[in-house]
Amino acid sequence: MSLGPRPQGSLAELARLGCGWGARFHARKDIRIEDIPEPELRAGAVKIDVAWCGICGTDLHEYLEGPIFCPPPGRPHPLSHEESPVTLGHEFSGTVSEIGEGVTGLAKGDNVVVEPYFVDGDCDMCQAGSYHLCRQMGFIGLSGGGGGLSEKIVVDQRWVHPIGDIPLDEAALIEPLSVAHHAVARSGVKAGDTALVGGSGPIGLLTAGVLKGMGVTTIISELTQARKEKATSSGVADHVLDPSQEDVPARVRELTGGTGADVAFECAGVNAVLDTMLDAVRPGAVVVNVSIWGAPATVDMQKLVLKEIDLRGTIAYVRDHPAVIRMVQEGKVDLKPFITGRIALEDLVEQGFDTLINHKDTAVKVLVHP
């Protein structure tokens, strides 16, 4: 990663010139902090002063293996019409600072989060209500449209959700919590079931949090000490297993009276974890793949066939944000324990990406304050 040249002048002078800071993806292993123009307000949209933005595992994949969602030079995204460099950041909260023409139901000063989508609205998936499966779908903060790793962003009203009195730092986790909520909904799990979560990074922990909030017995499998401790101290796991110290499928069967887990969630993007999920569930179970993979996986189809396992994919969220915001407001999920670092935008490289890539055993969710 590299740090772009610091523009000359004070922050006040930059503001007068209509400039601000942003983290921009240029290419694989090339993310720069640069001065960028302030986005212009448009009809049907609001301008948001970004408060906090989380660093997502997808951002790390983009840096290490991309471009994945970021459009490469010469191949602009069909909806944003942008190509790299693009501003990063899709897990963010902020405060509405300007209201565009025709916007209703939002006011200046409202604290909000964003459902960071580009969709065409015209394809068969959008017309069927499955806009998260839009044929041209893209993400704000990855595919263009600005991003939460900047000072300001303009977003269409459709994607902006008021959060009431949820603290803005915690609210930056609403987006990944919505990913978890959608994955749990895809699984068909119900209260009284037992679920196994493979990996207790941010998505794994939040998935466990949604499950616990539903009354599901939750088992987490995790290697790193800090994340095992977080799974325990946050209260989202009934049992935490270390695959380097014990036979996870055997232990899951022991905990479930010999049957195995009813559902499992692969949240690591690691083939050994997927294999463990297939071994640890009961016959007829559901395994949901939540993670974004950096390389193709292999699946033992014999396990899938002989146990009639239902292996399901899940991407992002669809109409999940309002329900997730209510869960947080009602105290069913406590987001505070998952925030392990707060940094300034200029420290994104050394204290953010480097920590999460090379020292991930020391951190869970790092928030950036632009």
Side-chain angles (χ1 to χ4, degrees):
M1 281 172 284
S2 59
L3 189 64
R6 182 179 292 274
Q8 298 299 309
S10 66
L11 291 177
E13 178 67 10
L14 289 174
R16 186 183 69 78
L17 296 172
C19 295
W21 286 103
R24 306 271 283 170
F25 175 91
H26 283 252
R28 184 179 304 176
K29 297 188 177 180
D30 185 5
I31 293 173
R32 310 177 194 175
I33 309 298
E34 301 175 320
D35 58 316
I36 58 176
E38 181 172 329
E40 295 184 5
L41 186 64
R42 58 181 180 268
V46 299
K47 183 175 289 188
I48 300 168
D49 291 344
V50 178
W52 294 97
C53 183
I55 301 173
C56 177
T58 303
D59 298 324
L60 303 182
H61 279 294
E62 206 70 45
Y63 168 68
L64 293 170
E65 296 134 9
I68 301 170
F69 291 106
C70 293
R75 293 171 55 191
H77 189 274
L79 300 180
S80 73
H81 308 297
E82 293 184 44
E83 59 189 65
S84 296
V86 292
T87 304
L88 292 176
H90 59 278
E91 302 180 353
F92 60 94
S93 63
T95 302
V96 175
S97 58
E98 294 184 48
I99 301 290
E101 181 183 353
V103 171
T104 60
L106 290 169
K108 185 176 179 179
D110 283 350
N111 287 343
V112 297
V113 293
V114 169
E115 188 176 354
Y117 272 132
F118 289 110
V119 300
D120 60 30
D122 297 321
C123 71
D124 54 342
M125 292 292 97
C126 285
Q127 291 295 307
S130 299
Y131 59 82
H132 64 308
L133 300 177
C134 173
R135 302 290 183 174
Q136 301 187 91
M137 182 266 286
F139 291 101
I140 297 169
L142 286 167
S143 309
L149 287 171
S150 66
E151 295 176 72
K152 297 177 184 290
I153 188 171
V154 171
V155 181
D156 289 342
Q157 176 181 1
R158 173 183 182 180
W159 306 118
V160 180
H161 300 275
I163 57 171
D165 59 357
I166 299 173
L168 283 166
D169 56 349
E170 296 174 34
L173 275 68
I174 293 290
E175 193 274 350
L177 186 62
S178 296
V179 172
H181 185 271
H182 182 57
V184 170
R186 286 279 294 146
S187 75
V189 70
K190 60 186 184 302
D193 283 349
T194 297
L196 173 63
V197 178
S200 63
I203 292 297
L205 289 168
L206 293 171
T207 299
V210 174
L211 291 163
K212 283 293 292 179
M214 293 176 56
V216 175
T217 298
T218 305
I219 306 169
I220 285 181
S221 173
E222 172 60 45
L223 281 169
T224 64
Q225 187 61 32
R227 293 183 172 186
K228 286 189 294 183
E229 291 173 358
K230 184 62 68 175
T232 301
S233 64
S234 64
V236 299
D238 295 292
H239 308 278
V240 179
L241 311 181
D242 185 336
S244 70
Q245 302 296 320
E246 54 192 323
D247 183 329
V248 171
R251 183 78 175 108
V252 170
R253 286 190 291 272
E254 180 184 331
L255 293 168
T256 56
T259 62
D262 299 294
V263 296
F265 298 85
E266 198 293 314
C267 299
V270 175
N271 224 123
V273 177
L274 176 59
D275 293 339
T276 297
M277 301 297 102
L278 296 175
D279 285 334
V281 295
R282 62 168 173 77
V286 173
V287 174
V288 181
N289 180 89
V290 191
S291 57
I292 299 294
W293 290 69
T298 59
V299 179
D300 188 334
M301 295 305 294
Q302 198 74 338
K303 294 176 182 177
L304 213 68
V305 169
L306 294 179
K307 293 171 71 174
E308 287 199 343
I309 294 170
D310 189 345
L311 178 59
R312 299 178 184 175
T314 179
I315 180 67
Y317 24 72
V318 56
R319 294 177 294 278
D320 290 272
H321 277 67
V324 165
I325 290 168
R326 285 194 300 273
M327 286 186 75
V328 176
Q329 290 173 331
E330 293 168 1
K332 293 180 179 178
V333 178
D334 181 8
L335 294 171
K336 289 190 295 294
F338 306 119
I339 302 171
T340 55
R342 295 173 175 84
I343 63 174
L345 184 62
E346 56 263 36
D347 297 321
L348 176 70
V349 176
E350 292 83 3
Q351 297 181 30
F353 274 70
D354 182 67
T355 295
L356 292 168
I357 291 170
N358 299 311
H359 308 283
K360 64 181 181 180
D361 57 331
T362 67
V364 176
K365 177 59 69 174
V366 176
L367 300 184
V368 182
H369 181 55

